[in-house]
Amino acid sequence: MRVIVVGGGVVGTMHAWQAVERGHEVVQIEREAEARGASLRNFGQIWVSGRAGGEELDTALRARELWERIGARVPGLGFRAIGSLTPVRNAHEYAVAEAAVARPDAAARGYKLITAAEARRINPALRGAFEAALWCERDAAVEPRTAQLHLREALRSTGRYTFLPGREVRDVAGPGAVRDDHGDVHRGDAVVLATGAWLSGLVRELVPDLPVRRVRLQMMQTAPLGEPLTTSVADADSFRYYPAYQSAALDALAAEQAQAPIAAAHKMQLLMVQRLDGGLTIGDTHEYEHPFAFDTLEDPYDHLIGVVESFLGRPLPKIRRRWAGVYAQCTDTTRVVHRQQVAEGVWLVTGPGGRGMTCSPAIAETTANELGW
């Protein structure tokens, strides 16, 4: 079988991986010289802890298993089974963490409510003030800026993979075929459009009423911290945004403990993970209304810096990079992904909504199974 994958991000690359693993030939087409969207502009977190139960959690857990397996074969991914800690500072936040640990699926997530002293033994860099922490053992991390490069290198070594950058696919040229802006037609037994947040052009023509929206966020990265941050770190505001934490305790938190005004205005949470070079990737904000702003704002960064420094008990290193990114999210946020046949032999896979890096191996596996690869 010959599979054409359109899109060079992590969802597209994982579809290429699944096809090659099953013995097929793959041509992957990317409109940029390299993928530049959400697959690079993210935390590189394999984030199991906050996922909704049922299909979403099953997908995240399967993806976590696949990431570890792929990481063992592709060391350049930088897969680390580091887990995550969410420090809590008062009775309301503690109650939300306590309710999470009482979930029937808490063991599958690796949840444990631990003391501040236990948290500091796991992550000694957390010298600031907090009372306890929610530990999620199943969370992990990879290096988002280089993951696709190393995956493609491994795919090329099979002799059954071709990467074609700098080509924008313009139209469907027949069953299992697409034409790019060079005029070349790429034919296969199946085409997967994994175009991420690029929802205009061909995607709009094929699915005018696509139930997917775009979300913008701001992030930043520091110079090396100078010591290991041995886990990912979130703050209690993340409880407000992830479905796993929904409970009466969360309702009480929302009613009695307002977010800081800047955090509420930008729908913020702290997520933080250390890169292999020692720097910290820190975020994030959420913007849903189009048209998106073209600039990045300093107040959200100032808020995040304050939260991080309060957990670390020390000043942050210099901020080296700031950026904004856009990802695609199903308008029905309970759906893991939008997967649709849009023409004969052509399928669209998009809208994982901030779950792309976490869930992409399992999303691609499901596509491969459903298409009978």
Side-chain angles (χ1 to χ4, degrees), residues 86-107 111-114 131-135 236 239 244-250 253:
T86 304
V88 297
R89 288 174 159 160
N90 57 49
H92 289 307
E93 295 174 2
Y94 187 95
V96 178
E98 195 172 39
V101 172
R103 291 177 60 103
D105 55 17
Y111 278 166
K112 187 177 180 181
L113 187 53
I114 61 177
E131 295 184 1
L134 179 63
W135 163 240
F239 292 154
Y245 304 121
Q246 292 176 358
S247 64
L250 180 60
L253 173 71

PDB file of all heavy atoms in Angstrom, residues 86-107 111-114 131-135 236 239 244-250 253:
ATOM      1  N   THR A  86       1.451  19.158  40.747  1.00  0.00           N
ATOM      2  CA  THR A  86       0.631  20.363  40.839  1.00  0.00           C
ATOM      3  C   THR A  86       0.587  20.787  42.299  1.00  0.00           C
ATOM      4  O   THR A  86      -0.173  20.223  43.099  1.00  0.00           O
ATOM      5  CB  THR A  86      -0.793  20.104  40.323  1.00  0.00           C
ATOM      6  OG1 THR A  86      -0.734  19.599  38.992  1.00  0.00           O
ATOM      7  CG2 THR A  86      -1.610  21.395  40.342  1.00  0.00           C
ATOM      8  N   PRO A  87       1.425  21.745  42.704  1.00  0.00           N
ATOM      9  CA  PRO A  87       1.399  22.194  44.100  1.00  0.00           C
ATOM     10  C   PRO A  87       0.079  22.882  44.437  1.00  0.00           C
ATOM     11  O   PRO A  87      -0.498  23.588  43.602  1.00  0.00           O
ATOM     12  CB  PRO A  87       2.572  23.193  44.169  1.00  0.00           C
ATOM     13  CG  PRO A  87       3.453  22.837  43.012  1.00  0.00           C
ATOM     14  CD  PRO A  87       2.517  22.379  41.936  1.00  0.00           C
ATOM     15  N   VAL A  88      -0.400  22.663  45.656  1.00  0.00           N
ATOM     16  CA  VAL A  88      -1.626  23.315  46.137  1.00  0.00           C
ATOM     17  C   VAL A  88      -1.301  24.085  47.406  1.00  0.00           C
ATOM     18  O   VAL A  88      -0.437  23.686  48.189  1.00  0.00           O
ATOM     19  CB  VAL A  88      -2.760  22.302  46.374  1.00  0.00           C
ATOM     20  CG1 VAL A  88      -3.136  21.637  45.060  1.00  0.00           C
ATOM     21  CG2 VAL A  88      -2.385  21.254  47.404  1.00  0.00           C
ATOM     22  N   ARG A  89      -2.024  25.206  47.616  1.00  0.00           N
ATOM     23  CA  ARG A  89      -1.619  26.152  48.648  1.00  0.00           C
ATOM     24  C   ARG A  89      -2.657  26.406  49.718  1.00  0.00           C
ATOM     25  O   ARG A  89      -2.370  27.102  50.693  1.00  0.00           O
ATOM     26  CB  ARG A  89      -1.247  27.477  47.985  1.00  0.00           C
ATOM     27  CG  ARG A  89       0.072  27.394  47.217  1.00  0.00           C
ATOM     28  CD  ARG A  89       0.342  28.647  46.453  1.00  0.00           C
ATOM     29  NE  ARG A  89       1.762  28.780  46.151  1.00  0.00           N
ATOM     30  CZ  ARG A  89       2.264  29.539  45.200  1.00  0.00           C
ATOM     31  NH1 ARG A  89       1.442  30.240  44.438  1.00  0.00           N
ATOM     32  NH2 ARG A  89       3.556  29.609  45.007  1.00  0.00           N
ATOM     33  N   ASN A  90      -3.859  25.879  49.565  1.00  0.00           N
ATOM     34  CA  ASN A  90      -4.887  26.163  50.567  1.00  0.00           C
ATOM     35  C   ASN A  90      -5.915  25.035  50.557  1.00  0.00           C
ATOM     36  O   ASN A  90      -5.833  24.089  49.743  1.00  0.00           O
ATOM     37  CB  ASN A  90      -5.536  27.519  50.306  1.00  0.00           C
ATOM     38  CG  ASN A  90      -6.136  27.628  48.917  1.00  0.00           C
ATOM     39  OD1 ASN A  90      -6.865  26.746  48.480  1.00  0.00           O
ATOM     40  ND2 ASN A  90      -5.835  28.722  48.222  1.00  0.00           N
ATOM     41  N   ALA A  91      -6.888  25.158  51.430  1.00  0.00           N
ATOM     42  CA  ALA A  91      -7.855  24.074  51.611  1.00  0.00           C
ATOM     43  C   ALA A  91      -8.700  23.839  50.358  1.00  0.00           C
ATOM     44  O   ALA A  91      -9.022  22.687  50.038  1.00  0.00           O
ATOM     45  CB  ALA A  91      -8.762  24.395  52.799  1.00  0.00           C
ATOM     46  N   HIS A  92      -9.059  24.897  49.637  1.00  0.00           N
ATOM     47  CA  HIS A  92      -9.880  24.718  48.430  1.00  0.00           C
ATOM     48  C   HIS A  92      -9.110  23.942  47.359  1.00  0.00           C
ATOM     49  O   HIS A  92      -9.656  23.016  46.735  1.00  0.00           O
ATOM     50  CB  HIS A  92     -10.326  26.070  47.878  1.00  0.00           C
ATOM     51  CG  HIS A  92     -11.348  26.766  48.725  1.00  0.00           C
ATOM     52  ND1 HIS A  92     -12.526  26.161  49.118  1.00  0.00           N
ATOM     53  CD2 HIS A  92     -11.370  28.021  49.249  1.00  0.00           C
ATOM     54  CE1 HIS A  92     -13.225  27.004  49.852  1.00  0.00           C
ATOM     55  NE2 HIS A  92     -12.552  28.142  49.948  1.00  0.00           N
ATOM     56  N   GLU A  93      -7.869  24.327  47.136  1.00  0.00           N
ATOM     57  CA  GLU A  93      -7.063  23.632  46.131  1.00  0.00           C
ATOM     58  C   GLU A  93      -6.783  22.191  46.560  1.00  0.00           C
ATOM     59  O   GLU A  93      -6.817  21.265  45.737  1.00  0.00           O
ATOM     60  CB  GLU A  93      -5.762  24.404  45.894  1.00  0.00           C
ATOM     61  CG  GLU A  93      -5.989  25.778  45.283  1.00  0.00           C
ATOM     62  CD  GLU A  93      -4.737  26.618  45.181  1.00  0.00           C
ATOM     63  OE1 GLU A  93      -3.636  26.126  45.562  1.00  0.00           O
ATOM     64  OE2 GLU A  93      -4.830  27.778  44.727  1.00  0.00           O
ATOM     65  N   TYR A  94      -6.534  22.023  47.834  1.00  0.00           N
ATOM     66  CA  TYR A  94      -6.290  20.673  48.363  1.00  0.00           C
ATOM     67  C   TYR A  94      -7.513  19.785  48.141  1.00  0.00           C
ATOM     68  O   TYR A  94      -7.382  18.607  47.759  1.00  0.00           O
ATOM     69  CB  TYR A  94      -5.953  20.746  49.851  1.00  0.00           C
ATOM     70  CG  TYR A  94      -5.509  19.432  50.462  1.00  0.00           C
ATOM     71  CD1 TYR A  94      -4.161  19.108  50.571  1.00  0.00           C
ATOM     72  CD2 TYR A  94      -6.442  18.509  50.929  1.00  0.00           C
ATOM     73  CE1 TYR A  94      -3.744  17.901  51.123  1.00  0.00           C
ATOM     74  CE2 TYR A  94      -6.047  17.297  51.483  1.00  0.00           C
ATOM     75  CZ  TYR A  94      -4.695  17.008  51.581  1.00  0.00           C
ATOM     76  OH  TYR A  94      -4.304  15.797  52.125  1.00  0.00           O
ATOM     77  N   ALA A  95      -8.694  20.337  48.336  1.00  0.00           N
ATOM     78  CA  ALA A  95      -9.920  19.551  48.170  1.00  0.00           C
ATOM     79  C   ALA A  95     -10.104  19.084  46.732  1.00  0.00           C
ATOM     80  O   ALA A  95     -10.580  17.964  46.488  1.00  0.00           O
ATOM     81  CB  ALA A  95     -11.127  20.368  48.622  1.00  0.00           C
ATOM     82  N   VAL A  96      -9.719  19.927  45.766  1.00  0.00           N
ATOM     83  CA  VAL A  96      -9.820  19.515  44.358  1.00  0.00           C
ATOM     84  C   VAL A  96      -8.857  18.366  44.082  1.00  0.00           C
ATOM     85  O   VAL A  96      -9.208  17.372  43.426  1.00  0.00           O
ATOM     86  CB  VAL A  96      -9.543  20.697  43.415  1.00  0.00           C
ATOM     87  CG1 VAL A  96      -9.615  20.232  41.959  1.00  0.00           C
ATOM     88  CG2 VAL A  96     -10.532  21.824  43.651  1.00  0.00           C
ATOM     89  N   ALA A  97      -7.639  18.484  44.590  1.00  0.00           N
ATOM     90  CA  ALA A  97      -6.667  17.398  44.413  1.00  0.00           C
ATOM     91  C   ALA A  97      -7.137  16.124  45.100  1.00  0.00           C
ATOM     92  O   ALA A  97      -6.989  15.014  44.565  1.00  0.00           O
ATOM     93  CB  ALA A  97      -5.307  17.835  44.962  1.00  0.00           C
ATOM     94  N   GLU A  98      -7.726  16.278  46.266  1.00  0.00           N
ATOM     95  CA  GLU A  98      -8.233  15.122  47.010  1.00  0.00           C
ATOM     96  C   GLU A  98      -9.349  14.422  46.229  1.00  0.00           C
ATOM     97  O   GLU A  98      -9.414  13.183  46.167  1.00  0.00           O
ATOM     98  CB  GLU A  98      -8.724  15.590  48.368  1.00  0.00           C
ATOM     99  CG  GLU A  98      -8.954  14.503  49.384  1.00  0.00           C
ATOM    100  CD  GLU A  98      -9.252  15.086  50.757  1.00  0.00           C
ATOM    101  OE1 GLU A  98      -9.968  16.104  50.845  1.00  0.00           O
ATOM    102  OE2 GLU A  98      -8.744  14.527  51.739  1.00  0.00           O
ATOM    103  N   ALA A  99     -10.232  15.220  45.614  1.00  0.00           N
ATOM    104  CA  ALA A  99     -11.308  14.646  44.806  1.00  0.00           C
ATOM    105  C   ALA A  99     -10.751  13.927  43.582  1.00  0.00           C
ATOM    106  O   ALA A  99     -11.271  12.877  43.169  1.00  0.00           O
ATOM    107  CB  ALA A  99     -12.278  15.748  44.375  1.00  0.00           C
ATOM    108  N   ALA A 100      -9.691  14.462  42.984  1.00  0.00           N
ATOM    109  CA  ALA A 100      -9.076  13.798  41.829  1.00  0.00           C
ATOM    110  C   ALA A 100      -8.530  12.431  42.214  1.00  0.00           C
ATOM    111  O   ALA A 100      -8.696  11.446  41.486  1.00  0.00           O
ATOM    112  CB  ALA A 100      -7.964  14.674  41.258  1.00  0.00           C
ATOM    113  N   VAL A 101      -7.891  12.351  43.367  1.00  0.00           N
ATOM    114  CA  VAL A 101      -7.317  11.081  43.827  1.00  0.00           C
ATOM    115  C   VAL A 101      -8.413  10.060  44.125  1.00  0.00           C
ATOM    116  O   VAL A 101      -8.179   8.843  44.059  1.00  0.00           O
ATOM    117  CB  VAL A 101      -6.415  11.334  45.048  1.00  0.00           C
ATOM    118  CG1 VAL A 101      -5.954  10.036  45.693  1.00  0.00           C
ATOM    119  CG2 VAL A 101      -5.207  12.173  44.639  1.00  0.00           C
ATOM    120  N   ALA A 102      -9.605  10.525  44.429  1.00  0.00           N
ATOM    121  CA  ALA A 102     -10.728   9.625  44.717  1.00  0.00           C
ATOM    122  C   ALA A 102     -11.436   9.131  43.461  1.00  0.00           C
ATOM    123  O   ALA A 102     -12.338   8.295  43.550  1.00  0.00           O
ATOM    124  CB  ALA A 102     -11.732  10.333  45.620  1.00  0.00           C
ATOM    125  N   ARG A 103     -11.056   9.597  42.278  1.00  0.00           N
ATOM    126  CA  ARG A 103     -11.675   9.147  41.042  1.00  0.00           C
ATOM    127  C   ARG A 103     -11.464   7.644  40.839  1.00  0.00           C
ATOM    128  O   ARG A 103     -10.395   7.115  41.193  1.00  0.00           O
ATOM    129  CB  ARG A 103     -11.085   9.882  39.833  1.00  0.00           C
ATOM    130  CG  ARG A 103     -11.429  11.351  39.724  1.00  0.00           C
ATOM    131  CD  ARG A 103     -10.717  11.949  38.516  1.00  0.00           C
ATOM    132  NE  ARG A 103     -11.127  11.271  37.280  1.00  0.00           N
ATOM    133  CZ  ARG A 103     -11.979  11.766  36.402  1.00  0.00           C
ATOM    134  NH1 ARG A 103     -12.521  12.961  36.618  1.00  0.00           N
ATOM    135  NH2 ARG A 103     -12.296  11.108  35.313  1.00  0.00           N
ATOM    136  N   PRO A 104     -12.396   6.951  40.223  1.00  0.00           N
ATOM    137  CA  PRO A 104     -12.199   5.529  39.953  1.00  0.00           C
ATOM    138  C   PRO A 104     -10.996   5.238  39.052  1.00  0.00           C
ATOM    139  O   PRO A 104     -10.404   4.159  39.145  1.00  0.00           O
ATOM    140  CB  PRO A 104     -13.512   5.113  39.260  1.00  0.00           C
ATOM    141  CG  PRO A 104     -14.513   6.134  39.671  1.00  0.00           C
ATOM    142  CD  PRO A 104     -13.752   7.404  39.847  1.00  0.00           C
ATOM    143  N   ASP A 105     -10.645   6.208  38.186  1.00  0.00           N
ATOM    144  CA  ASP A 105      -9.513   5.990  37.279  1.00  0.00           C
ATOM    145  C   ASP A 105      -8.219   6.628  37.781  1.00  0.00           C
ATOM    146  O   ASP A 105      -7.254   6.787  37.027  1.00  0.00           O
ATOM    147  CB  ASP A 105      -9.835   6.517  35.881  1.00  0.00           C
ATOM    148  CG  ASP A 105     -10.255   7.993  35.883  1.00  0.00           C
ATOM    149  OD1 ASP A 105     -10.003   8.699  36.871  1.00  0.00           O
ATOM    150  OD2 ASP A 105     -10.857   8.430  34.873  1.00  0.00           O
ATOM    151  N   ALA A 106      -8.169   6.987  39.057  1.00  0.00           N
ATOM    152  CA  ALA A 106      -6.982   7.656  39.606  1.00  0.00           C
ATOM    153  C   ALA A 106      -5.738   6.788  39.482  1.00  0.00           C
ATOM    154  O   ALA A 106      -4.643   7.288  39.190  1.00  0.00           O
ATOM    155  CB  ALA A 106      -7.212   8.045  41.062  1.00  0.00           C
ATOM    156  N   ALA A 107      -5.868   5.489  39.712  1.00  0.00           N
ATOM    157  CA  ALA A 107      -4.703   4.605  39.640  1.00  0.00           C
ATOM    158  C   ALA A 107      -4.150   4.551  38.222  1.00  0.00           C
ATOM    159  O   ALA A 107      -2.925   4.527  38.020  1.00  0.00           O
ATOM    160  CB  ALA A 107      -5.073   3.213  40.132  1.00  0.00           C
ATOM    161  N   TYR A 111      -2.251   9.022  39.919  1.00  0.00           N
ATOM    162  CA  TYR A 111      -2.489  10.100  40.877  1.00  0.00           C
ATOM    163  C   TYR A 111      -2.076   9.679  42.289  1.00  0.00           C
ATOM    164  O   TYR A 111      -2.340   8.558  42.735  1.00  0.00           O
ATOM    165  CB  TYR A 111      -3.978  10.420  40.952  1.00  0.00           C
ATOM    166  CG  TYR A 111      -4.525  11.339  39.886  1.00  0.00           C
ATOM    167  CD1 TYR A 111      -5.902  11.436  39.719  1.00  0.00           C
ATOM    168  CD2 TYR A 111      -3.719  12.118  39.078  1.00  0.00           C
ATOM    169  CE1 TYR A 111      -6.464  12.274  38.765  1.00  0.00           C
ATOM    170  CE2 TYR A 111      -4.265  12.953  38.128  1.00  0.00           C
ATOM    171  CZ  TYR A 111      -5.637  13.034  37.966  1.00  0.00           C
ATOM    172  OH  TYR A 111      -6.185  13.852  37.038  1.00  0.00           O
ATOM    173  N   LYS A 112      -1.501  10.634  43.007  1.00  0.00           N
ATOM    174  CA  LYS A 112      -1.247  10.473  44.435  1.00  0.00           C
ATOM    175  C   LYS A 112      -1.178  11.863  45.045  1.00  0.00           C
ATOM    176  O   LYS A 112      -0.552  12.770  44.471  1.00  0.00           O
ATOM    177  CB  LYS A 112       0.056   9.710  44.686  1.00  0.00           C
ATOM    178  CG  LYS A 112       0.287   9.359  46.143  1.00  0.00           C
ATOM    179  CD  LYS A 112       1.574   8.542  46.308  1.00  0.00           C
ATOM    180  CE  LYS A 112       1.818   8.177  47.773  1.00  0.00           C
ATOM    181  NZ  LYS A 112       3.077   7.414  47.947  1.00  0.00           N
ATOM    182  N   LEU A 113      -1.823  12.074  46.170  1.00  0.00           N
ATOM    183  CA  LEU A 113      -1.760  13.342  46.885  1.00  0.00           C
ATOM    184  C   LEU A 113      -0.644  13.235  47.912  1.00  0.00           C
ATOM    185  O   LEU A 113      -0.671  12.361  48.789  1.00  0.00           O
ATOM    186  CB  LEU A 113      -3.091  13.636  47.554  1.00  0.00           C
ATOM    187  CG  LEU A 113      -3.275  15.007  48.218  1.00  0.00           C
ATOM    188  CD1 LEU A 113      -2.949  16.144  47.251  1.00  0.00           C
ATOM    189  CD2 LEU A 113      -4.692  15.144  48.746  1.00  0.00           C
ATOM    190  N   ILE A 114       0.365  14.086  47.791  1.00  0.00           N
ATOM    191  CA  ILE A 114       1.559  13.962  48.625  1.00  0.00           C
ATOM    192  C   ILE A 114       1.819  15.252  49.386  1.00  0.00           C
ATOM    193  O   ILE A 114       1.320  16.324  49.037  1.00  0.00           O
ATOM    194  CB  ILE A 114       2.793  13.587  47.784  1.00  0.00           C
ATOM    195  CG1 ILE A 114       3.100  14.663  46.730  1.00  0.00           C
ATOM    196  CG2 ILE A 114       2.582  12.225  47.104  1.00  0.00           C
ATOM    197  CD1 ILE A 114       4.354  14.377  45.907  1.00  0.00           C
ATOM    198  N   GLU A 131       1.461  23.719  50.331  1.00  0.00           N
ATOM    199  CA  GLU A 131       1.079  22.807  51.406  1.00  0.00           C
ATOM    200  C   GLU A 131       1.157  21.339  51.032  1.00  0.00           C
ATOM    201  O   GLU A 131       1.399  20.484  51.879  1.00  0.00           O
ATOM    202  CB  GLU A 131      -0.347  23.128  51.867  1.00  0.00           C
ATOM    203  CG  GLU A 131      -0.486  24.504  52.506  1.00  0.00           C
ATOM    204  CD  GLU A 131      -1.887  24.748  53.027  1.00  0.00           C
ATOM    205  OE1 GLU A 131      -2.744  23.832  52.914  1.00  0.00           O
ATOM    206  OE2 GLU A 131      -2.128  25.842  53.552  1.00  0.00           O
ATOM    207  N   ALA A 132       0.895  21.037  49.769  1.00  0.00           N
ATOM    208  CA  ALA A 132       0.860  19.644  49.306  1.00  0.00           C
ATOM    209  C   ALA A 132       0.949  19.692  47.788  1.00  0.00           C
ATOM    210  O   ALA A 132       1.091  20.763  47.188  1.00  0.00           O
ATOM    211  CB  ALA A 132      -0.423  18.951  49.770  1.00  0.00           C
ATOM    212  N   ALA A 133       0.859  18.526  47.138  1.00  0.00           N
ATOM    213  CA  ALA A 133       0.914  18.496  45.677  1.00  0.00           C
ATOM    214  C   ALA A 133       0.203  17.261  45.160  1.00  0.00           C
ATOM    215  O   ALA A 133       0.202  16.208  45.812  1.00  0.00           O
ATOM    216  CB  ALA A 133       2.356  18.530  45.187  1.00  0.00           C
ATOM    217  N   LEU A 134      -0.404  17.415  43.990  1.00  0.00           N
ATOM    218  CA  LEU A 134      -0.957  16.277  43.270  1.00  0.00           C
ATOM    219  C   LEU A 134       0.131  15.741  42.349  1.00  0.00           C
ATOM    220  O   LEU A 134       0.636  16.459  41.486  1.00  0.00           O
ATOM    221  CB  LEU A 134      -2.179  16.698  42.452  1.00  0.00           C
ATOM    222  CG  LEU A 134      -2.843  15.588  41.632  1.00  0.00           C
ATOM    223  CD1 LEU A 134      -3.406  14.490  42.541  1.00  0.00           C
ATOM    224  CD2 LEU A 134      -3.936  16.158  40.728  1.00  0.00           C
ATOM    225  N   TRP A 135       0.500  14.482  42.558  1.00  0.00           N
ATOM    226  CA  TRP A 135       1.536  13.821  41.773  1.00  0.00           C
ATOM    227  C   TRP A 135       0.852  12.944  40.727  1.00  0.00           C
ATOM    228  O   TRP A 135      -0.073  12.199  41.038  1.00  0.00           O
ATOM    229  CB  TRP A 135       2.413  12.997  42.688  1.00  0.00           C
ATOM    230  CG  TRP A 135       3.299  11.945  42.083  1.00  0.00           C
ATOM    231  CD1 TRP A 135       3.279  10.607  42.349  1.00  0.00           C
ATOM    232  CD2 TRP A 135       4.397  12.142  41.178  1.00  0.00           C
ATOM    233  NE1 TRP A 135       4.268   9.959  41.650  1.00  0.00           N
ATOM    234  CE2 TRP A 135       4.966  10.879  40.915  1.00  0.00           C
ATOM    235  CE3 TRP A 135       4.925  13.272  40.548  1.00  0.00           C
ATOM    236  CZ2 TRP A 135       6.057  10.704  40.060  1.00  0.00           C
ATOM    237  CZ3 TRP A 135       6.008  13.108  39.694  1.00  0.00           C
ATOM    238  CH2 TRP A 135       6.568  11.843  39.462  1.00  0.00           C
ATOM    239  N   ALA A 236      -2.594  25.367  40.400  1.00  0.00           N
ATOM    240  CA  ALA A 236      -3.982  24.997  40.674  1.00  0.00           C
ATOM    241  C   ALA A 236      -4.956  25.613  39.688  1.00  0.00           C
ATOM    242  O   ALA A 236      -6.082  25.116  39.548  1.00  0.00           O
ATOM    243  CB  ALA A 236      -4.353  25.390  42.105  1.00  0.00           C
ATOM    244  N   PHE A 239      -6.484  23.193  37.295  1.00  0.00           N
ATOM    245  CA  PHE A 239      -7.678  22.433  37.686  1.00  0.00           C
ATOM    246  C   PHE A 239      -8.926  22.959  36.967  1.00  0.00           C
ATOM    247  O   PHE A 239      -9.858  22.211  36.682  1.00  0.00           O
ATOM    248  CB  PHE A 239      -7.908  22.528  39.200  1.00  0.00           C
ATOM    249  CG  PHE A 239      -6.886  21.829  40.045  1.00  0.00           C
ATOM    250  CD1 PHE A 239      -6.652  22.258  41.345  1.00  0.00           C
ATOM    251  CD2 PHE A 239      -6.162  20.751  39.581  1.00  0.00           C
ATOM    252  CE1 PHE A 239      -5.734  21.623  42.165  1.00  0.00           C
ATOM    253  CE2 PHE A 239      -5.232  20.100  40.389  1.00  0.00           C
ATOM    254  CZ  PHE A 239      -5.017  20.549  41.689  1.00  0.00           C
ATOM    255  N   ALA A 244     -10.600  16.291  33.946  1.00  0.00           N
ATOM    256  CA  ALA A 244     -10.395  15.289  34.996  1.00  0.00           C
ATOM    257  C   ALA A 244     -10.630  15.846  36.391  1.00  0.00           C
ATOM    258  O   ALA A 244     -10.861  15.079  37.336  1.00  0.00           O
ATOM    259  CB  ALA A 244      -8.984  14.715  34.919  1.00  0.00           C
ATOM    260  N   TYR A 245     -10.586  17.163  36.536  1.00  0.00           N
ATOM    261  CA  TYR A 245     -10.683  17.757  37.867  1.00  0.00           C
ATOM    262  C   TYR A 245     -12.098  18.251  38.194  1.00  0.00           C
ATOM    263  O   TYR A 245     -12.311  18.848  39.253  1.00  0.00           O
ATOM    264  CB  TYR A 245      -9.679  18.902  37.986  1.00  0.00           C
ATOM    265  CG  TYR A 245      -8.265  18.470  37.683  1.00  0.00           C
ATOM    266  CD1 TYR A 245      -7.527  19.064  36.663  1.00  0.00           C
ATOM    267  CD2 TYR A 245      -7.680  17.432  38.400  1.00  0.00           C
ATOM    268  CE1 TYR A 245      -6.232  18.654  36.374  1.00  0.00           C
ATOM    269  CE2 TYR A 245      -6.386  17.014  38.116  1.00  0.00           C
ATOM    270  CZ  TYR A 245      -5.674  17.629  37.098  1.00  0.00           C
ATOM    271  OH  TYR A 245      -4.408  17.197  36.811  1.00  0.00           O
ATOM    272  N   GLN A 246     -13.043  18.005  37.317  1.00  0.00           N
ATOM    273  CA  GLN A 246     -14.413  18.437  37.591  1.00  0.00           C
ATOM    274  C   GLN A 246     -14.975  17.685  38.797  1.00  0.00           C
ATOM    275  O   GLN A 246     -14.903  16.461  38.875  1.00  0.00           O
ATOM    276  CB  GLN A 246     -15.287  18.197  36.364  1.00  0.00           C
ATOM    277  CG  GLN A 246     -14.926  19.089  35.186  1.00  0.00           C
ATOM    278  CD  GLN A 246     -15.722  18.774  33.938  1.00  0.00           C
ATOM    279  OE1 GLN A 246     -16.536  17.854  33.925  1.00  0.00           O
ATOM    280  NE2 GLN A 246     -15.489  19.530  32.880  1.00  0.00           N
ATOM    281  N   SER A 247     -15.507  18.438  39.747  1.00  0.00           N
ATOM    282  CA  SER A 247     -16.027  17.859  40.990  1.00  0.00           C
ATOM    283  C   SER A 247     -16.736  18.955  41.765  1.00  0.00           C
ATOM    284  O   SER A 247     -16.637  20.147  41.431  1.00  0.00           O
ATOM    285  CB  SER A 247     -14.877  17.293  41.840  1.00  0.00           C
ATOM    286  OG  SER A 247     -13.994  18.331  42.250  1.00  0.00           O
ATOM    287  N   ALA A 248     -17.422  18.553  42.835  1.00  0.00           N
ATOM    288  CA  ALA A 248     -18.026  19.550  43.719  1.00  0.00           C
ATOM    289  C   ALA A 248     -16.956  20.431  44.337  1.00  0.00           C
ATOM    290  O   ALA A 248     -17.167  21.630  44.577  1.00  0.00           O
ATOM    291  CB  ALA A 248     -18.838  18.847  44.795  1.00  0.00           C
ATOM    292  N   ALA A 249     -15.790  19.849  44.605  1.00  0.00           N
ATOM    293  CA  ALA A 249     -14.687  20.631  45.170  1.00  0.00           C
ATOM    294  C   ALA A 249     -14.216  21.706  44.200  1.00  0.00           C
ATOM    295  O   ALA A 249     -13.885  22.827  44.609  1.00  0.00           O
ATOM    296  CB  ALA A 249     -13.530  19.701  45.540  1.00  0.00           C
ATOM    297  N   LEU A 250     -14.206  21.385  42.904  1.00  0.00           N
ATOM    298  CA  LEU A 250     -13.818  22.389  41.916  1.00  0.00           C
ATOM    299  C   LEU A 250     -14.877  23.479  41.832  1.00  0.00           C
ATOM    300  O   LEU A 250     -14.549  24.662  41.695  1.00  0.00           O
ATOM    301  CB  LEU A 250     -13.617  21.740  40.556  1.00  0.00           C
ATOM    302  CG  LEU A 250     -13.200  22.693  39.432  1.00  0.00           C
ATOM    303  CD1 LEU A 250     -11.873  23.379  39.754  1.00  0.00           C
ATOM    304  CD2 LEU A 250     -13.119  21.957  38.102  1.00  0.00           C
ATOM    305  N   LEU A 253     -14.171  25.749  44.624  1.00  0.00           N
ATOM    306  CA  LEU A 253     -12.991  26.567  44.318  1.00  0.00           C
ATOM    307  C   LEU A 253     -13.373  27.718  43.397  1.00  0.00           C
ATOM    308  O   LEU A 253     -12.991  28.874  43.642  1.00  0.00           O
ATOM    309  CB  LEU A 253     -11.918  25.696  43.658  1.00  0.00           C
ATOM    310  CG  LEU A 253     -10.680  26.435  43.126  1.00  0.00           C
ATOM    311  CD1 LEU A 253      -9.825  26.939  44.274  1.00  0.00           C
ATOM    312  CD2 LEU A 253      -9.863  25.544  42.201  1.00  0.00           C
TER     313      LEU A 253
END
